[in-house]
Amino acid sequence: MADCAKIEGMKVWNVAKIMASKGVERLPCVTAYDYAFAKLADAAGIPLLLVGDSLGMAVMGHSSTLPVTMEAMLHHTAAVVRGAGSALVVADMPFLSYQISISEGLRNAGRFLQEAGADAVKIEGGAFRAELVRALVQNGIPVLGHIGLTPQSCNVIGGYKVQGRTRADADRLVEDATALAAAGVFALVLECVPPDIAAHVTAAVPVPVIGIGAGAACDGQVLVMHDLLGLTDRKPPKFVKEYADLAGTVQTAFATYAAEVREGVFPAPGHAYTPSGAIQT
Ligand code: KIV
C-alpha cells in the first residue's frame, strides 16, 4: 500500500515537482545508503536522496564502484526508502545491470521500484543511452541521467578526472544532455565539468541539471554524504565542502566509551535497571 500512499500525495517530492523546480529553486541533493541517515536528510528538507553506487567506496571499502551488485543496491535502497518520508529516492543502477541489453536494463530497473520501493533509477552515459531511457520511461520507470565523469567507466577514462575542457567537449555534453532530455530523463547529474561548460549545458536543456564538481550554475547540487559529513578516510575531492567532522566526533566518542569501560566509569548506576532485591549479599 506504500505505493498508493505516494499516489495520494504523501510523498512531497515527486518527479514532476523536481522537473518543475528548474529555474524556480535550487535542488540540494545528497547520497544516502541507510535508514538512519536517510531519515536525517529527509528531515532536513533534502528533496532527492540518491542511493549511489558510491556505496562501493563510501560504505563497502572498495576502490571503485565496479564491484557493487544489484543485491547490494536493492538492500541499501530499501533501507533508504524506509527512512525517506518526503524525499524522492533514486537508486543507482550498478555496473553491468543495464549495459548488456535493453530488456535486462528494464528488468533490473523494475526491481528497484518493485522490490526496494525506489521512485526512480539513475544510469550513466550520454546519447547512446537514449534508447534505454525511452524504454524505461515508457514502461513507467523515471530515469535520472548521468553525464560528464561517469565513474563506472573509470578504466576507460583513465581515472577520476575533470571532463570536457574544449569547445568540442562542451558541444558533445550538450548533445548528450539534449538527447537524454528528449528521451525522457526527469533530470541529469553532471559530474566533474568546468563551471562555464556546466553553465552552458544547464542552459541548453529543459530538465534540472544536478552538478557535482560542476560549479554554481547548475540547477542543483549533489554530494556524497560521507564527504559532506567529513566521514571519509581519504582526502575529499576539491569540489567537496565538509559541513561536519563526523569522523572526529565518532572517533572521540568511541575512544571515550572504550576508556570509560576500561576504567569502570560506564555503566554508572543510572545506566542500569532498578535492582531486583532478590539477591541478598
Ligand atoms: O554513486 C554516486 O554517489 C553518484 C554521485 C556521485 C552522483 O553517482
Side-chain angles (χ1 to χ4, degrees), residues 31 33 50 52-54 92 122 146 189 191 212 222 224:
T31 66
Y33 314 99
L50 170 65
D53 62 356
S54 49
D92 215 355
K122 175 168 85 59
H146 184 159
V189 168
E191 180 164 356
I212 173 164
V222 61
V224 168

Side-chain angles (χ1 to χ4, degrees), residues 13 18 21-30 46-48 144 187-191 198-199 202 207-223:
W13 283 96
I18 297 281
S21 72
K22 177 135 184 141
V24 178
E25 62 176 308
R26 293 196 184 92
L27 296 166
C29 311
V30 70
I46 301 283
L48 187 155
L144 175 62
L188 281 165
V189 168
L190 181 60
E191 180 164 356
T202 302
V207 296
V209 173
I210 300 167
I212 173 164
C218 298
D219 301 301
Q221 299 292 326
V222 61
L223 283 176

Side-chain angles (χ1 to χ4, degrees), residues 275-281:
S276 70
I279 309 292
Q280 306 301 324
T281 51

Side-chain angles (χ1 to χ4, degrees), residues 96-241:
L96 292 189
S97 69
Y98 60 96
Q99 288 91 340
I100 292 165
S101 67
I102 302 284
S103 62
E104 220 173 300
L106 184 52
R107 182 166 300 282
N108 283 325
R111 292 187 69 193
F112 282 110
L113 273 65
Q114 196 169 47
E115 297 175 32
D119 299 302
V121 298
K122 175 168 85 59
I123 61 175
E124 296 183 5
F128 63 97
R129 292 276 180 238
E131 191 187 350
L132 174 60
V133 170
R134 220 170 272 117
L136 295 174
V137 175
Q138 281 172 354
N139 286 289
I141 302 172
V143 182
L144 175 62
H146 184 159
I147 57 173
L149 173 61
T150 47
Q152 290 175 12
S153 301
C154 62
N155 288 314
V156 173
I157 297 167
Y160 302 96
K161 32 189 190 192
V162 178
Q163 301 297 300
R165 289 213 165 273
T166 65
R167 179 71 215 198
D169 292 333
D171 290 343
R172 187 181 38 78
L173 281 168
V174 167
E175 277 166 29
D176 284 338
T178 307
L180 291 168
V185 297
F186 70 88
L188 281 165
V189 168
L190 181 60
E191 180 164 356
C192 285
V193 170
D196 51 333
I197 292 190
H200 188 56
V201 175
T202 302
V205 288
V207 296
V209 173
I210 300 167
I212 173 164
C218 298
D219 301 301
Q221 299 292 326
V222 61
L223 283 176
V224 168
M225 185 187 75
H226 286 53
D227 291 340
L228 183 160
L229 296 179
L231 203 46
T232 56
D233 57 0
R234 64 182 172 114
K235 188 174 176 294
K238 173 186 167 67
F239 57 79
V240 167
K241 179 172 176 182

